[in-house]
Amino acid sequence: MTNGRLFAWEGPVGLDAAVALEENQPGIRSALDRYADEIIAALTGADLHGFVLALLGPWGSGKTSAMLTLFDLVQERLRERLPEALDVRAVQPGQEPLARAIQVTDTNGKSWYPVTSSVLRAPLSLAPGQVNDARLALAHAILWQLPPEMWDKIAGWLGEFGDPKIPDPDQQLRAERFLHEKLRQESVSGTDIERWITSARRACLVDAEAEETPDELKFLRRNVHVTMLDDLDRARLDFTAQILNAMRFWVDNEGMFFVVAAQESYLIRAAEVAEDKGAGEGKNDNHAERGLHKFVHHELHLPPMFQSPVDVDRK
């Protein structure tokens, strides 16, 4: 693999091989700058609004690289707003390379997680009936990347009580194990987990307002969460249709952002299915595009960087 190559013909390669967008997609970086500014404005301002951003383009257009760049820009913007004495770094809580969190630590070792992210990749195959689990799959993906204090809230409400005032290095592991056990219960649905998460987020926002913290740092107790949905156009339309409807619920909650990577034509058809209108019923292209706008707030179109396997090999 050649250094600097974004793609091998069989698919994306490692993060270290990501091509700088400004070299291959002029203008894309400046658009991502604006979206990063909007995410930080939500974190630090009075309105924790969210959005759904669609990265639209064919294979080889750098959609995954754009996702990574957006997160890096959010980290840069956050660093600019904080005193130099604070340590700001991206951490990877799990094994998913795209799912990172921004950890801010003060000189006393106290840490906050004002920005977190999760990833849902399109399933390449689904058994009959599994499309009904799309909403549950998205809720799972968000749950496991929340800040630790939100896990503690949820675990406490469900029965795993502890004393948050007593430092316990095993507390997070206990909370994770407890939540795994709860999620194995057949009665747990996607809407159950959505309720747990939204309640925990609201409770943590209330705590943030009550905590004695310098005004310029108070927003660190808040949280914005960016969920990245990669290669959605590899999934069945009915699966993606459920994801679109679930995103419409999530984005109405404070501080929830979504970045969707797919081909535009596929996403338009999924939006039609999500509205139960079906495809191919005599609707014109303008009507179909308006249907997509019911689920997506911003669109960023990425032209292909490579035209063929030969072009990839020449990079």
Side-chain angles (χ1 to χ4, degrees):
M1 182 179 67
T2 304
N3 238 0
R5 182 189 297 179
L6 175 60
F7 288 97
W9 179 243
E10 66 274 10
V13 297
L15 302 186
D16 292 338
V19 176
L21 280 182
E22 58 268 26
E23 296 177 4
N24 295 278
Q25 298 282 34
I28 298 299
R29 170 78 180 236
S30 60
L32 293 174
D33 271 325
R34 294 194 299 273
Y35 300 132
D37 287 338
E38 190 169 340
I39 292 172
I40 291 298
L43 176 66
T44 60
D47 183 10
L48 262 171
H49 62 282
F51 62 64
V52 177
L53 166 64
L55 300 175
L56 304 173
W59 177 93
S61 57
K63 298 187 293 295
T64 301
S65 184
M67 286 181 172
L68 295 172
T69 300
L70 177 61
F71 190 91
D72 291 341
L73 291 172
V74 170
Q75 183 179 351
E76 287 180 13
R77 298 297 186 277
L78 184 60
R79 171 72 275 179
E80 292 167 0
R81 288 178 173 266
L82 293 171
E84 291 186 5
L86 296 181
D87 180 60
V88 181
R89 66 179 63 192
V91 296
Q92 187 178 320
Q95 296 183 353
E96 167 56 58
L98 282 184
R100 294 176 289 169
I102 298 177
Q103 180 186 61
V104 179
T105 307
D106 66 14
T107 54
N108 296 317
K110 180 177 177 56
S111 293
W112 298 270
Y113 297 88
V115 182
T116 51
S117 69
S118 54
V119 174
L120 180 66
R121 296 186 183 275
L124 299 184
S125 61
L126 287 170
Q130 278 189 318
V131 292
N132 296 324
D133 292 333
R135 192 159 187 156
L136 180 61
L138 180 58
H140 268 260
I142 294 171
L143 174 66
W144 295 120
Q145 301 297 331
L146 292 177
E149 59 268 23
M150 293 187 186
W151 277 14
D152 293 341
K153 293 281 187 188
I154 296 170
W157 293 332
L158 296 178
E160 180 73 354
F161 294 101
D163 187 348
K165 297 180 182 178
I166 301 176
D168 183 353
D170 295 328
Q171 185 172 345
Q172 185 170 338
L173 292 176
R174 288 207 314 273
E176 181 176 357
R177 184 168 59 250
F178 176 77
L179 289 174
H180 271 296
E181 292 172 357
K182 282 288 183 181
L183 292 173
R184 280 198 293 268
Q185 298 176 6
E186 293 183 2
S187 59
V188 174
S189 67
T191 52
D192 288 332
I193 303 175
E194 290 170 354
R195 187 175 65 254
W196 300 348
I197 295 171
T198 53
S199 297
R201 291 180 63 80
R202 292 191 191 103
C204 286
L205 284 173
V206 171
D207 291 347
E209 293 301 320
E211 186 180 71
E212 292 186 8
T213 309
D215 288 342
E216 66 272 17
L217 300 181
K218 185 162 287 189
F219 71 87
L220 292 176
R221 278 295 306 272
R222 307 171 87 191
N223 173 262
V224 292
H225 188 86
V226 183
T227 301
M228 305 179 189
L229 298 110
D230 203 15
D231 292 329
L232 263 191
D233 44 17
R234 297 185 181 186
R236 286 174 47 171
L237 278 174
D238 43 359
F239 181 91
T240 301
Q242 284 201 27
I243 293 294
L244 291 176
N245 275 320
M247 285 195 305
R248 192 153 55 175
F249 159 80
W250 280 113
V251 82
D252 286 336
N253 289 273
E254 294 176 314
M256 299 297 291
F257 295 83
F258 291 84
V259 183
V260 182
Q263 294 191 44
E264 182 178 21
S265 59
Y266 170 86
L267 214 54
I268 288 173
R269 286 185 291 140
E272 291 177 340
V273 174
E275 292 188 290
D276 291 326
K277 294 179 178 178
E281 295 180 5
K283 303 175 185 61
N284 59 40
D285 290 343
N286 289 335
H287 180 97
E289 289 180 12
R290 287 197 300 272
L292 179 59
H293 294 161
K294 294 180 179 180
F295 301 95
V296 171
H297 303 102
H298 303 296
E299 296 179 11
L300 184 55
H301 294 261
L302 286 78
M305 289 190 287
F306 308 119
Q307 301 298 329
S308 71
V310 175
D311 292 333
V312 176
D313 290 337
R314 287 175 178 168
K315 291 301 282 185

